[in-house]
Amino acid sequence: MRDHIRFYLGDTLCELAAVPPTLTVLDWLRERQGRTGTKEGCNEGDCGACTVLVARLEGASLVWRAVNACIQFVAMLDGAQLFTVEDLRAPDGTLHPVQQAMVDLHGSQCGFCTPGFVMSMVAFRKTPGAVAEDGAIDDALAGNLCRCTGYAPIVRAMKQAMAAGPDRFDERAAAIADRLAALRDGRTVRMDGPEGRLTIPVDSDALAATLAEDPEARIVAGATDVGLWVTKGLRVLPHVVFIGRVADLRGLERTAEGLRIGAAVTYAEARAALADMLPDAGEVVRRLGSTQVRNAGTVCGNIANGSPIGDGPPVLIAAGAMLHLRRGDARRTMRLEAYFLAYGRQDRQAGEFVEAVTVPAPPDGTLFRAYKISKRFDQDISALLGAFALTLDAAGRIHDARIAFGGMAAIPCRARATEEALRGHVWNEATLQAARAAIATDFAPISDMRASDWYRRTVAANLLTRLFAETAPAGARPETRLAGRGREAAHV
Ligand SMILES: Cc1cc2nc3c(=O)[nH]c(=O)nc-3n(C[C@H](O)[C@H](O)[C@H](O)COP(=O)(O)OP(=O)(O)OC[C@H]3O[C@@H](n4cnc5c(N)ncnc54)[C@H](O)[C@@H]3O)c2cc1C
Ligand code: FES
Ligand code: FES
């Protein structure tokens, strides 16, 4: 057991004991380290002004991720190296290639959002496979808001910076990896202080034991939900258990049952594997939050949180996902839809935690689509999200249908009447109309600031029409995705 956390801030080793469990990285940087280059804008993960870069050792690879310092807790840095905008300039004053490009191309109008943009741009340069194309840059910077609409010069600066050679961090990558490897001691961290207790279990056995001892302890994975409870809800959490680094919850593997995504796997980590199996699931992940949110937020945290408008659950329910839970040594597995009982209530007992979710590969002949409907394309919460899995036989008859919606009820749930209207029928215009009629009986959505009940009902039925249009024979398919941003339509 260790009684302090250890990480690097730039090149300085920080060993902190008695850290308040919910002290944010942003407050620690600005108020305790005097690193005021990292700005506070929204304090809820939306604007990107607080973006910092975190380097971690994943296996033997050094991985760099941009995250929002305002909704990350300091204890989550254990074992990592944190870089802020102050770390970019070399000791001799030479600017980082991203900073130089921002100067050269007039990418900075104000000092408020610029540090966050710069950190996201540095992270983008370090993303394996990143290309200097408009769409990829838009995706990378969707979590950074410029309030004066200066995006065009910023994108130009990003392109210039991508053409520059390695930076001084790349040159020291091996040394950084060695230093992070030396921090790995395989010990659980436990700290008690006047503002509460924090635990960082080393493995899921230690997590199970911690929760058995204190079933009321609050699990935190990526903190992209819990962070806001603290910064906006001012909630006090007496015992926080950080699971983001629990090694045996970080597995992402293909098993005989499907793609198993461990509870500590982030959206950024799961995205490629999900997209490979279900391209539209990948599209939904691409539009979930921003790069910074996906770098921290987990697939299972989205489930555990139980929000009726979480984007992951309807997609995974339509795909037939199974949820794995553990309490002490007892494990159980259930269909994902069974986990959501009522608004704010899930089938999880005190002291129980989500271990993983398994997403089965779609059977041959399955048509899988997922549509997120929100006011903006980037970084917006869904008004509703519909996910559809139709399994067709060789004659075009619907053998099975699994349809799930978010935003249409108090929980993510299946459209049972619509599924029934589809099963056993040939997928044609008459079946579409029957399904459109059925969906009106499946849901009685509410009106809120995101959408009216009328809008939700109308769009839900129209998504069936979109599904039908996208599955028309090649050549008769209308364009249904936002030009230049949506995925290629040709996939049945
Ligand atoms: C700016 C911003 C934009 C966002 N955009 C979207 C969006 O577009 N779509 C969307 O769906 N969500 C969005 N979110 C919400 C959030 O990112 C997701 O819900 C995310 O997946 C939560 O995962 P997490 O790991 O951060 O969860 P945390 O915040 O760590 O935890 C969330 C909840 O789950 C519980 N929990 C976590 N892991 C476990 C576990 N293994 N077992 C039991 N309980 C657990 C926690 O105790 C807590 O109650 C956004 C958030 C922000 C800040
Ligand atoms: S301050 Fe706006 S994202 Fe952190
Ligand atoms: S550069 Fe800061 S608001 Fe645009």
Side-chain angles (χ1 to χ4, degrees), residues 384-427:
L384 69 153
L385 189 151
F388 306 83
L390 306 189
T391 310
L392 297 140
D393 64 20
R397 195 171 297 276
I398 300 166
H399 169 68
D400 195 14
R402 294 180 62 85
I403 299 176
F405 274 84
M408 294 293 289
I411 52 173
C413 59
R414 285 174 69 174
R416 303 270 183 191
T418 311
E419 291 175 358
E420 209 42 55
L422 291 168
R423 256 185 225 115
H425 296 275
V426 174
W427 185 219

Side-chain angles (χ1 to χ4, degrees), residues 107-114 117 145-151 154:
S108 171
Q109 277 69 245
C110 83
F112 213 84
C113 55
T114 300
F117 269 104
L145 304 188
C146 167
R147 297 143 188 96
C148 70
T149 68
Y151 293 103
I154 295 170

Side-chain angles (χ1 to χ4, degrees), residues 45-46 218-219 221-226 229 289 298 302 304 310-311 354 372:
D46 273 316
R218 172 57 59 185
I219 297 173
T224 60
D225 283 315
V226 176
W229 301 358
T298 59
N302 199 218
D311 286 336
V354 173
K372 170 168 175 163

Side-chain angles (χ1 to χ4, degrees), residues 26 39-50 68 70:
L26 181 63
K39 304 300 181 200
E40 178 179 326
C42 62
N43 216 16
E44 61 181 45
D46 273 316
C47 75
C50 65
N68 293 313
C70 66

Side-chain angles (χ1 to χ4, degrees), residues 42 44-47 68 70-73 76 207 211 217-229 235 241-243 249 262-267 284-285 287-290 293-294 296-307 309-314 324-326 339 346 348 352-356 372 374 378-382 385:
C42 62
E44 61 181 45
D46 273 316
C47 75
N68 293 313
C70 66
I71 50 168
Q72 293 289 285
F73 301 125
M76 296 167 75
L207 169 61
L211 294 174
R218 172 57 59 185
I219 297 173
V220 170
T224 60
D225 283 315
V226 176
L228 277 71
W229 301 358
R235 275 177 67 173
V241 182
F242 295 99
I243 64 162
L249 297 183
V265 175
T266 65
Y267 272 107
V284 168
V285 174
R287 292 185 52 205
L288 191 148
S290 59
V293 169
R294 294 189 295 270
T298 59
V299 178
C300 289
N302 199 218
I303 294 168
N305 194 44
S307 163
I309 50 163
D311 286 336
H324 310 285
L325 295 145
R326 175 174 176 185
Y339 177 70
Q346 296 88 38
R348 186 161 61 84
E352 195 169 36
F353 62 96
V354 173
E355 268 198 311
K372 170 168 175 163
S374 57
D378 290 312
Q379 162 105 299
D380 203 0
I381 299 287
S382 295
L385 189 151

Side-chain angles (χ1 to χ4, degrees), residues 280 367-371 388 427 432 462-482 486-492:
D280 263 17
L367 203 60
F368 188 89
R369 293 291 189 281
Y371 307 120
F388 306 83
W427 185 219
L432 167 65
N462 286 350
L463 290 184
L464 282 162
T465 303
R466 183 199 272 196
L467 174 70
F468 187 67
E470 285 193 355
T471 52
R477 256 177 238 163
E479 183 54 72
T480 53
R481 307 282 172 133
L482 194 57
R487 66 190 274 239
E488 297 301 313
H491 56 282
V492 175

Side-chain angles (χ1 to χ4, degrees), residues 88-109:
L88 297 186
R89 202 161 59 163
D92 68 1
T94 307
L95 295 182
H96 185 278
V98 164
Q99 292 174 307
Q100 191 59 55
M102 289 288 268
V103 173
D104 294 346
L105 294 165
H106 307 284
S108 171
Q109 277 69 245

